Amino acid sequence: MSRHSALYVGRVRHHRFRPKPHALSYRVFWILLDLDEIDRLAADLRLFSRNRFNLYGFRDADYGDRSGRPLRPQIAAILAEAGFAYDDGPVRLLTMPRILGYAFNPLSTYFCYRRDGSLCATIYEVHNTFGEVHSYVSPADGANEPLRQEAGKLFHVSPFMGLKMRYGFTVVPPAERVSIAIDGHDQDGRLIATALSGRRAALNDGALLRLLATHPLLTLKVTAAIHWHALRLLAKRIPWWPHPAPPQQPFSLGSATTPHAKGSTQP
């Protein structure tokens, strides 16, 4: 039986433009998990498990409200509360798996489809290093072309950026390739540009074993890189922003945009 779940192998790039330029780039891979396939994957793969230790793993409590409750009904509840016309179609999560029991995902993205295969919405679940989480929910309107969305920044991610910003998303949903580009603008223009992109690969034990060799201890390296680059920004005397309280609501609404005109679409 064919799977919608897959691996995506690629790279993350980040560039800060002001007040002093700073850039980083590193190789990474993600796992695209159809939420209806996780148990079958865990049964079929020796190196992947759900909610127990393995070389690679998925733990429900890492996502959503982090209660450990199944994610699918959580996502459906968010979309219903946000007013989206979602009919319980497939939900596919692009994320980094746990590796040897450890994971930290700055960004995990849910692609929420209708039963007819059209894309209904995306949910960008953002985690910071302070143990907090917030999601940005944006309409997709079934678009097959690259999605363009925007959202006001409400969640503290880095002490080197304030909250008075807007995010612009340009997204190619998972197919043979996937990409998510995020531009952050403040009152003075574009401040940051971040992009992740990857090429699809089959999800099997052989591929997982090869990735352990080509991307050793990936999730630990991501956390180490965040702190290393924070030290470099301190050395560049980038202004420091205090840590505000997280939003009271677990998610906020974004909007769809077009290349020619910006504006919200009704979900």
Side-chain angles (χ1 to χ4, degrees):
M1 184 180 296
S2 62
R3 298 174 181 155
H4 295 285
S5 301
L7 294 167
Y8 283 86
V9 183
R11 184 169 290 272
V12 168
R13 295 177 175 86
H14 178 87
H15 192 99
R16 183 187 181 109
F17 301 99
R18 295 182 277 108
K20 295 180 181 179
H22 184 80
L24 62 90
S25 174
Y26 53 90
R27 296 183 304 148
V28 68
F29 70 88
W30 302 269
I31 187 169
L32 180 73
L33 291 171
D34 187 304
L35 297 188
D36 292 328
E37 294 179 352
I38 299 176
D39 285 333
R40 182 157 62 94
L41 287 169
D44 291 347
L45 300 176
R46 294 182 179 181
L47 303 182
F48 175 84
S49 296
R50 182 177 194 170
N51 294 329
R52 66 181 181 84
F53 183 83
N54 202 335
L55 187 59
Y56 295 90
F58 173 86
R59 191 177 77 170
D60 291 82
D62 290 338
Y63 302 91
D65 65 8
R66 294 183 289 182
S67 66
R69 295 186 298 123
L71 275 176
R72 213 184 198 294
Q74 291 191 54
I75 297 303
I78 288 173
L79 295 175
E81 186 176 346
F84 284 80
Y86 171 65
D87 60 3
D88 205 33
V91 177
R92 293 168 191 147
L93 170 62
L94 186 71
T95 189
M96 287 185 291
R98 283 185 165 252
I99 300 176
L100 293 173
Y102 179 80
F104 174 69
N105 273 285
L107 174 67
S108 296
T109 304
Y110 301 86
F111 295 89
C112 309
Y113 295 87
R114 300 184 183 93
R115 292 180 182 176
D116 65 5
S118 62
L119 189 60
C120 174
T122 55
I123 301 177
Y124 304 102
E125 184 175 293
V126 182
H127 291 245
N128 63 24
T129 55
F130 305 98
E132 299 164 342
V133 60
H134 184 74
S135 294
Y136 298 94
V137 185
S138 294
D141 293 331
N144 293 318
E145 298 300 321
L147 309 177
R148 291 179 173 86
Q149 303 159 324
E150 64 176 26
K153 182 180 179 182
L154 297 178
F155 180 61
H156 180 77
V157 177
S158 166
F160 302 99
M161 289 185 290
L163 293 182
K164 293 182 179 180
M165 293 178 56
R166 288 195 69 80
Y167 292 129
F169 303 91
T170 302
V171 182
V172 176
E176 287 307 306
R177 295 189 64 86
V178 65
S179 68
I180 301 173
I182 307 170
D183 285 345
H185 291 77
D186 62 13
Q187 61 183 3
D188 297 319
R190 188 165 67 158
L191 176 62
I192 60 165
T194 298
L196 64 85
S197 61
R199 183 177 295 277
R200 187 181 180 98
L203 175 53
N204 54 50
D205 284 320
L208 291 173
L209 196 59
R210 287 191 295 273
L211 285 170
L212 186 67
T214 58
H215 299 68
L217 300 178
L218 172 66
T219 50
L220 185 62
K221 287 183 175 180
V222 168
T223 301
I226 289 171
H227 290 92
W228 168 243
H229 285 279
L231 290 174
R232 291 183 61 191
L233 290 171
L234 277 174
K236 292 182 177 183
R237 300 184 182 274
I238 303 297
W240 180 280
W241 294 82
H243 184 178
Q248 293 185 349
Q249 296 297 323
F251 71 89
S252 54
L253 284 174
S255 61
T257 67
T258 69
H260 304 293
K262 293 184 178 182
S264 338
T265 60
Q266 294 298 321

